[in-house]
Amino acid sequence: MRTTVSGITSRILSSNATVFVLLAVIFAVVFALNPGFAEPMSLMAFVKKAAPLILLAIGQYFVIVSGEFDLSVGSLVGAQVVIAALLIDGNESATLPVILLMFAGGIVVGLVNGLVTTLLKVPSIITTLGTMLVLYGAIRWLTGGAPTGSLSTAFRAAGRQGVDDVPLIGQLPWALLIVLVVGVGAVFLMRSPWGRTLIAVGDNDQAARFAGARVWWVKTAAFTLSGFLATGAGILIGGYAGVTAQVGEGMEFTAITAVVLGGVVLGGGRGWVVAAMAGALTVEALFTLFNQLSVPSTVRPAAQGLIIIAAVAYAAIDRARRARTVTETHPTPRHTDVATP
């Protein structure tokens, strides 16, 4: 037991510690500005709002740690919610079939992204950018700028409701329980052989391939998980916020911001899924702080951009340092001329 605790402590005190410290500082400032935010009901409302981003960050983590990007998740969330509203249109009996159809669609989108990237060798940033544009076009075509239909009460339960009459907190949101289950599953998945292979592929896919790893399959599975979790995020955000033509817009960049804020290195090979989840909470807490300070909403994209630029710079410096360390440890042998006898 002592070994396990010390192992967890050492991971938290590693380079990933920054995001946890930053999260604590932001919450402390928010609590100071608005003491009512520390009330259980307010914190549970915050969790409901942050839950979709946490799911997206977990999915984006799988893709980024493999050395790729997924820019399609925001548009996938929007398309899923809009299509669900069209198909359900307030009919409670249609809820479960539509949810199953949504998950199937998310898996197909992720699978296509993965196969195009790995088998056709198209850079993932181009592949998923194309998917993003296709899905945004579909949303505009289906809605004409004004979504029709409505989500059922059962559909919205996951994002808005929870277990009532819980001591101290009142209501335990279903969204929190879903995030906890997915988070624990992600931790165990990353400790499995597939998770270790995913890290190895992101660090050096050529070396992983020579070691016998099926690189194309590992990366395709990461994209598929991203599409699956984006669907879950769509269900939660649809339940919490309802249906608009702008639902999901820009969430792909917010998810990337959350992941890099959690210390996951762009380019792959390094990162902890729990820190990526903490990054999502930190981004949402930062937006809450902006609201408390009455900061214009136009500042949000600038803040996200600065975080991503800083993460890219850090990744480049870190890779250069690691390459220099390897060179110094294993210097290239000098070639000496040998006289021909």
Side-chain angles (χ1 to χ4, degrees), residues 62-63 66 68-72 106-129 131 214-228:
F62 290 133
V63 176
S66 75
E68 307 293 346
F69 284 95
D70 189 353
L71 299 181
S72 67
I107 290 172
V108 168
V109 170
L111 188 62
V112 170
N113 284 337
L115 293 177
V116 171
T117 298
T118 58
L119 297 186
L120 299 183
K121 306 300 181 183
V122 179
S124 59
I125 194 168
I126 301 300
T127 300
T128 56
L129 177 62
T131 304
R214 293 190 296 172
V215 174
W216 74 271
W217 166 245
V218 172
K219 288 192 175 186
T220 300
F223 278 103
T224 304
L225 284 170
S226 180
F228 180 85

Side-chain angles (χ1 to χ4, degrees), residues 37 47 55 58 126-127 180-181 201 219-220 231 287 299 318 341:
F37 190 81
V47 168
L55 292 187
I58 295 173
I126 301 300
T127 300
L180 289 176
V181 169
V201 166
K219 288 192 175 186
T220 300
T231 301
F287 291 162
V299 173
D318 182 68

Side-chain angles (χ1 to χ4, degrees), residues 21 45 50 90 171 210 234 292 331 338:
V21 174
Q171 184 187 79
F210 289 145
Q292 295 288 338
V338 180

Side-chain angles (χ1 to χ4, degrees), residues 161-175:
Q161 300 177 13
V163 181
D164 295 321
D165 301 324
V166 177
L168 300 179
I169 63 174
Q171 184 187 79
L172 181 64
W174 292 120

Side-chain angles (χ1 to χ4, degrees), residues 13-194:
L13 295 178
S14 67
S15 59
N16 296 313
T18 303
V19 68
F20 296 98
V21 174
L22 182 59
L23 178 61
V25 169
I26 293 175
F27 268 128
V29 175
V30 171
F31 293 160
L33 293 173
N34 181 13
F37 190 81
E39 296 294 326
M41 288 184 61
S42 297
L43 289 176
M44 291 303 102
F46 172 80
V47 168
K48 290 180 184 179
K49 186 178 180 182
L53 180 58
I54 296 174
L55 292 187
L56 284 180
I58 295 173
Q60 196 70 251
Y61 164 84
F62 290 133
V63 176
I64 289 179
V65 86
S66 75
E68 307 293 346
F69 284 95
D70 189 353
L71 299 181
S72 67
V73 291
S75 58
L76 179 57
V77 166
Q80 294 273 37
V81 174
V82 167
I83 292 173
L86 283 172
L87 295 177
I88 293 176
D89 199 18
N91 183 5
E92 297 290 340
S93 62
T95 301
L96 182 57
V98 169
I99 288 177
L100 294 176
L101 182 63
M102 289 172 66
F103 277 113
I107 290 172
V108 168
V109 170
L111 188 62
V112 170
N113 284 337
L115 293 177
V116 171
T117 298
T118 58
L119 297 186
L120 299 183
K121 306 300 181 183
V122 179
S124 59
I125 194 168
I126 301 300
T127 300
T128 56
L129 177 62
T131 304
M132 179 183 75
L133 295 175
V134 168
L135 291 173
Y136 272 137
I139 294 172
R140 297 294 182 268
W141 178 70
L142 286 171
T143 64
T148 57
S150 61
L151 299 171
S152 62
T153 302
F155 186 98
R156 303 196 67 177
R160 306 192 83 180
Q161 300 177 13
V163 181
D164 295 321
D165 301 324
V166 177
L168 300 179
I169 63 174
Q171 184 187 79
L172 181 64
W174 292 120
L176 174 58
L177 296 176
I178 291 170
V179 164
L180 289 176
V181 169
V182 173
V184 170
V187 169
F188 279 103
L189 185 59
M190 291 308 298
R191 291 182 177 179
S192 71
W194 180 85

